[in-house]
Amino acid sequence: MDPRSEVLLRQAELFGGRVLLAGLPADDLLGQLTGATAWSWHAGEQQQLDKRFGGRCSFGVAPPQGVFDTAVLFLPKSRELTDYLLQALAARLPGRPLYLVGEKRGGIERAAKQLASFGRARKLDSARHCQLWQVEVEQAPAAPDLDALASRFTLQLADGPLEVVSLPGVFSHGRLDLGSALLLEHLDDLPGGRLLDFGCGAGILGATLKRRYPQSELVLLDVDAFAVESSRRTLAANGLEAEVIAGDGIDAAPRQLAAIVSNPPFHQGVHTSYRASETLIERAAEHLVSDGELRLVANAFLRYPPLIEQHLGPCHTLAERDGFRIYRAVRP
């Protein structure tokens, strides 16, 4: 059981009615709180929860419809995303309690200050290196406009300007990160056929690929609902069309790909994890056609070349800058 869920269950008498659990982990909390409904924006956790508690968990960038007596937000990593989620939940709970739970190292005490705009917040519990806070929503806000919260910026690329739409919580929100900037400069000579942007984020790489290779079918994949929606909006802003899907890791990707291009993710919540990147490397060959290519950017200190050569083939370093490297490997 996740320690945040354990803290909630220490106060289980507060959560006996129609409860919305937002951003919950994929543990047994729904099994313990039988009247609760879940809202997730993480495709992997959604898949696990739906398998165990079918029909009780919705996925997307907006809360599910319905009337709730209370809601609990599991603190996400991004402050901007926390702002949006708290407003979206508080708008549905005038005169009712809203709870916030999170790890101390994840910044729960700082985030609890964001509750003050709805009423007087108070700390209910502190255990398992986590805290639980409550606020009675005395000043319910209007439902937030996600479109108004999007960060829009223009990248001046070699083949012309690219409009980017980034939603709260998306990796490198509102800016181009150094790794992607390097990869954008090394997208030449990809094989023709179906292309995959793995871990698409705001869709910068995917939109660039579609513009560079207009005859190729393009798929963008990310585990996060806000990234998926951002990518859709970035494509639309540039008059481009591609398939954008939510899925947990490379197993959710289609087969028979000509190339996989990626700035792979390395965070889940407040924790650093390279598992999605390592699984991508280990299983890329299963998704590539013969002579299909994997091209990715990674921190230079990560020992990916031996892993790439073990599972795919000879690994070539195309470029190195700002602590990042571009790796290329072709399936035999």
Side-chain angles (χ1 to χ4, degrees):
M1 184 75 80
D2 187 284
R4 297 167 297 171
S5 298
E6 291 178 343
V7 171
L8 282 189
L9 292 175
R10 283 162 55 95
Q11 310 286 337
E13 69 279 359
L14 299 174
F15 309 110
R18 297 166 297 182
V19 182
L20 177 61
L21 303 172
L24 74 167
D27 58 13
D28 193 47
L29 185 60
L30 277 179
Q32 300 290 321
L33 302 179
T34 56
T37 299
W39 169 30
S40 178
W41 42 92
H42 185 283
E45 292 172 349
Q46 156 71 15
Q47 184 179 27
Q48 294 179 57
L49 290 168
D50 197 53
K51 185 175 180 180
R52 296 185 60 198
F53 310 103
R56 294 176 60 192
C57 186
S58 67
F59 176 80
V61 297
Q65 296 300 313
V67 178
F68 300 98
D69 299 314
T70 188
V72 181
L73 174 62
F74 287 75
L75 180 65
K77 180 182 177 183
S78 162
R79 181 183 178 91
E80 294 88 357
L81 181 58
T82 301
D83 278 334
Y84 165 72
L85 296 169
L86 285 175
Q87 289 185 48
L89 294 171
R92 303 280 295 278
L93 296 168
R96 283 164 281 173
L98 170 61
Y99 298 87
L100 180 66
V101 64
E103 297 180 69
K104 293 179 182 177
R105 66 173 175 170
I108 182 63
E109 291 186 335
R110 170 192 54 77
K113 297 176 182 178
Q114 296 172 252
L115 299 173
S117 59
F118 312 127
R120 183 176 179 180
R122 61 192 184 106
K123 182 166 62 176
L124 297 183
D125 203 351
S126 180
R128 312 291 196 273
H129 304 290
C130 301
Q131 292 181 0
L132 173 65
W133 289 74
Q134 180 201 57
V135 63
E136 293 287 337
V137 182
E138 300 170 355
Q139 301 162 357
D145 180 359
L146 191 56
D147 189 61
L149 296 175
S151 174
R152 293 173 172 80
F153 59 100
T154 303
L155 296 178
Q156 300 298 334
L157 303 180
D159 57 350
L162 184 77
E163 303 299 321
V164 182
V165 183
S166 174
L167 293 176
V170 175
F171 171 68
S172 193
H173 177 52
R175 62 182 177 85
L176 177 64
D177 64 284
L178 294 175
S180 294
L182 182 60
L183 186 52
L184 284 170
E185 297 173 10
H186 295 85
L187 295 178
D188 295 332
D189 303 320
L190 287 171
R194 179 185 263 185
L195 307 177
L196 172 67
D197 175 6
F198 176 81
C200 57
I204 295 173
L205 290 173
T208 302
L209 287 170
K210 187 61 181 178
R211 198 161 65 177
R212 184 81 59 88
Y213 303 95
Q215 302 306 314
S216 293
E217 182 183 351
L218 175 68
V219 180
L220 296 86
L221 169 66
D222 204 287
V223 72
D224 181 75
F226 290 90
V228 168
E229 183 61 26
S230 292
S231 287
R232 287 175 177 149
R233 295 182 185 211
T234 293
L235 289 166
N238 293 279
L240 302 169
E241 294 185 2
E243 181 182 6
V244 188
I245 57 178
D248 188 15
I250 190 60
D251 289 342
R255 304 288 179 117
Q256 299 295 303
L257 296 168
I260 300 171
V261 179
S262 181
N263 181 356
F266 58 90
H267 283 102
Q268 181 167 344
V270 299
H271 306 283
T272 298
S273 172
Y274 299 102
R275 191 62 213 147
S277 304
E278 293 168 355
T279 303
L280 165 65
I281 294 170
E282 292 167 2
R283 300 181 185 171
E286 301 173 14
H287 295 266
L288 291 168
V289 298
S290 296
D291 296 324
E293 180 179 330
L294 172 66
R295 193 176 301 189
L296 60 82
V297 62
N299 294 96
F301 67 82
L302 295 172
R303 291 190 52 79
Y304 281 171
L307 191 64
I308 291 171
E309 297 197 341
Q310 177 185 352
H311 293 280
L312 192 58
C315 178
H316 304 279
T317 300
L318 299 183
E320 181 172 359
R321 190 178 71 213
D322 298 324
F324 292 91
R325 290 177 183 163
I326 307 296
Y327 298 121
R328 173 183 183 269
V330 176
R331 180 189 172 189

